[in-house]
Amino acid sequence: MNLIMHLIFYLRSMLCRVLVLAATNRPFDLDEAVIRRLSRRLMVNLPDAPNRANILKVILVKEDLSSDIDFDAIANMTEGYSGSDLKNLCVTIAHRPIKEILEKEKKEHAAALAEGRPTPALSESSDIRSLNMEDFKHAHQQVCASVSSESINMTELSRWNDLYGEGGSRVKKALSYFM
């Protein structure tokens, strides 16, 4: 943190405008001096269904998708998934057609050896089928959300956001004789 503070002071001394943007999933580990110097503090929650659909579209933009893909249905299946969870889901989905080809090649190779005939040619990239909804359903059973909205970490983040979030300093609590 000390290095960040020196960088901020150095950049302030220059005659240019600088925007310092920082992100953490452990804001409660920041000390008061750092918190005091961050003029705005925003909590970014897990993406909702429309944003999950948009994230999936961005991740899968270069993939060959079949016409049965329903991004809204997938977004609804992935309630509570973070952007990272969605990426893991897409990687799992993309591997499925390749695994199928490898298993098929392995069986054909074993059958050819057993029958004493030449092994068949290996598959090409054009042999990989499009991703379909069944791939998404299969991957959804393997990849789950890594964070629960009821988890201790999310509770701590919400509590920190209540105290320090959206700007200013700590939220002032009313004084009471009944503490």
Side-chain angles (χ1 to χ4, degrees):
M1 291 300 165
N2 200 11
L3 179 63
I4 293 173
M5 298 314 302
H6 286 294
L7 178 63
I8 290 172
F9 289 125
Y10 172 74
L11 294 173
R12 281 186 180 173
S13 68
M14 300 175 73
L15 297 176
C16 61
R17 290 187 175 256
V18 175
L19 172 68
V20 176
L21 182 66
T24 181
N25 59 354
R26 298 192 52 82
F28 29 83
D29 289 344
L30 299 174
D31 67 1
E32 294 284 336
V34 171
I35 294 170
R36 200 171 42 249
R37 287 172 177 83
L38 299 173
S39 58
R40 293 282 312 256
R41 292 168 295 278
L42 304 172
M43 182 169 169
V44 179
N45 287 317
L46 295 171
D48 58 6
N51 284 319
R52 287 193 303 276
N54 290 334
I55 291 169
L56 288 165
K57 288 174 187 175
V58 168
I59 294 171
L60 297 169
V61 72
K62 293 182 179 180
E63 295 296 326
D64 182 20
L65 305 174
S66 69
S67 59
D68 75 332
I69 297 296
D70 181 359
F71 283 105
D72 293 329
I74 299 166
N76 289 328
M77 284 186 339
T78 55
E79 179 69 34
Y81 280 50
S82 67
S84 178
D85 297 332
L86 294 172
K87 182 174 186 258
N88 291 338
L89 179 75
C90 291
V91 167
T92 302
I93 291 162
H95 286 159
R96 189 163 184 230
I98 295 168
K99 286 179 183 177
E100 289 172 359
I101 287 177
L102 293 174
E103 288 172 9
K104 178 184 160 210
E105 286 179 352
K106 185 177 177 182
K107 287 178 184 175
E108 290 175 352
H109 183 77
L113 286 177
E115 296 171 6
R117 56 184 167 89
T119 57
L122 296 177
S123 301
E124 297 181 13
S125 60
S126 61
D127 296 329
I128 299 173
R129 66 169 176 76
S130 300
L131 301 176
N132 57 40
M133 281 300 286
E134 192 58 38
D135 295 325
F136 282 90
K137 291 174 185 174
H138 184 265
H140 183 256
Q141 294 172 351
Q142 295 178 335
V143 179
C144 61
S146 61
V147 177
S148 167
S149 59
E150 293 86 31
S151 71
I152 293 172
N153 194 32
M154 289 302 288
T155 304
E156 288 179 13
L157 287 171
S158 294
R159 190 176 315 131
W160 190 92
N161 190 53
D162 291 342
L163 286 172
Y164 299 103
E166 271 303 316
S169 58
R170 286 182 182 223
V171 174
K172 306 282 191 272
K173 293 185 180 179
L175 292 176
S176 170
Y177 292 108
F178 308 103
M179 295 180 118

